[in-house]
Amino acid sequence: MTGRLIIGLMLTFLLGPGPAWLAPALVAAAGPEIEVREYKGQKLDPFDRAYDNSIKGPQEVDPGTFRLKVEGLVDKPLALSYEEVLALPRQEKVIVLHCVEGWSEKLLFEGVRLKDLLDLARPKPGAVKVIFWAADGYSSALPLSYLLERGIILAARINGLKLDSRRGFPFQLVAEDKLGYKWVKWVVRLELTDKDYQGFWEQRGYSNEAPVPADRK
Ligand SMILES: Nc1nc2c(c(=O)[nH]1)N[C@H]1C(S)=C(S)[C@@H](COP(=O)(O)O)O[C@H]1N2
Ligand SMILES: [Mo]
């Protein structure tokens, strides 16, 4: 941030104010990203917060070497770079995450549809579940039909800002209508299977269906 500011000031000094057409490009290259806190009249919760309940804390995923793998019961296993994933059509939606601990947060998520991603991998007829594996060893599974029919997305941005090591870079699953423990962060691998699968919290007694209770909606 300070570095960008100094570079910006140096450019201004060296190049002068420059032609008007250059200004937006320089702003785009050097300017800080602005967080969206209100979307279509809805107030959003903040991107940054001190609270963290993840099993191993923040994770550093190297954007250079990272590949999102899609494996298991698929005709065409995938290993896509961050840019390749984001070349798919983008979608944004405001959704509330409800954790079993009792708190909730309303955020603007932007990402790609699981349907578009899975169309590339072509699930085999027997595939019924997708296990989401994360960089911290966490995992959770959801029915393939739910992911496809509900238009579920894998988010790369929250409130207009790119996910970071705390928020779940590169991707967080936006498991609408499901409790927070289904919203896998730091997603690095999808595994399609014909079996039932219990994730990290599910193995410890939490419901595999994980519906958001009606009184919390
Ligand atoms: N990889 C990973 N994903 C995870 C977790 C975790 O520990 N590791 N915790 C889950 C739980 S219990 C909740 S409530 C949400 C919190 O998501 P948030 O940080 O976006 O609020 O992340 C979920 N995804
Ligand atoms: Mo949670």
Side-chain angles (χ1 to χ4, degrees):
M1 169 65 187
T2 322
R4 283 180 183 177
L5 194 65
I6 291 167
I7 291 167
L9 287 172
M10 277 164 54
L11 278 174
T12 313
F13 179 75
L14 290 171
L15 305 173
W21 59 263
L22 194 59
L26 279 177
V27 170
E33 293 190 300
I34 309 289
E35 181 176 2
V36 179
R37 290 299 304 278
E38 198 174 320
Y39 186 78
K40 296 183 178 164
Q42 301 185 79
K43 291 243 183 304
L44 304 172
D45 286 308
F47 179 96
D48 275 319
R49 74 261 136 104
Y51 189 75
D52 177 13
N53 70 349
S54 58
I55 58 164
K56 288 186 185 156
Q59 300 292 310
E60 298 289 343
V61 174
D62 179 350
T65 54
F66 162 76
R67 293 291 179 274
L68 179 68
K69 295 191 172 146
V70 183
E71 301 173 335
L73 290 180
V74 293
D75 282 337
K76 194 177 178 299
L78 306 174
L80 303 175
S81 69
Y82 184 69
E83 288 73 24
E84 283 170 334
V85 175
L86 291 182
L88 291 168
R90 310 272 193 100
Q91 224 211 328
E92 54 181 20
K93 38 188 169 184
V94 172
I95 313 280
V96 179
L97 179 155
H98 300 273
C99 175
V100 278
E101 291 172 330
W103 54 270
S104 305
E105 56 182 356
K106 184 188 261 189
L107 300 164
L108 169 64
F109 293 92
E110 185 195 328
V112 301
R113 280 187 208 84
L114 267 308
K115 171 162 192 329
D116 292 329
L117 186 63
L118 294 170
D119 277 353
L120 297 176
R122 297 196 302 268
K124 289 187 192 290
V128 290
K129 290 276 171 86
V130 181
I131 308 170
F132 293 82
W133 292 97
D136 57 353
Y138 190 86
S139 63
S140 191
L142 283 158
L144 178 60
S145 58
Y146 156 84
L147 299 170
L148 301 180
E149 287 155 22
R150 291 296 319 275
I152 299 304
I153 66 169
L154 208 47
R157 287 177 176 265
I158 288 178
N159 293 358
L161 305 179
K162 198 173 179 177
L163 298 186
D164 60 11
S165 59
R166 299 170 60 85
R167 271 288 176 190
F169 178 87
F171 301 112
Q172 180 177 27
L173 180 66
V174 182
E176 292 176 50
D177 297 331
K178 304 284 183 187
L179 288 165
Y181 59 87
K182 292 285 179 187
W183 296 52
V184 183
K185 299 164 44 158
W186 305 289
V187 172
V188 292
R189 187 160 72 93
L190 275 58
E191 181 185 343
L192 283 86
T193 170
D194 55 359
K195 296 182 187 63
D196 210 16
Y197 176 83
Q198 309 273 326
F200 183 89
W201 286 118
E202 293 87 342
Q203 286 169 33
R204 289 158 178 80
Y206 289 93
S207 151
N208 207 4
E209 278 63 51
V212 173
D215 61 353
R216 292 192 64 185
K217 282 189 186 169

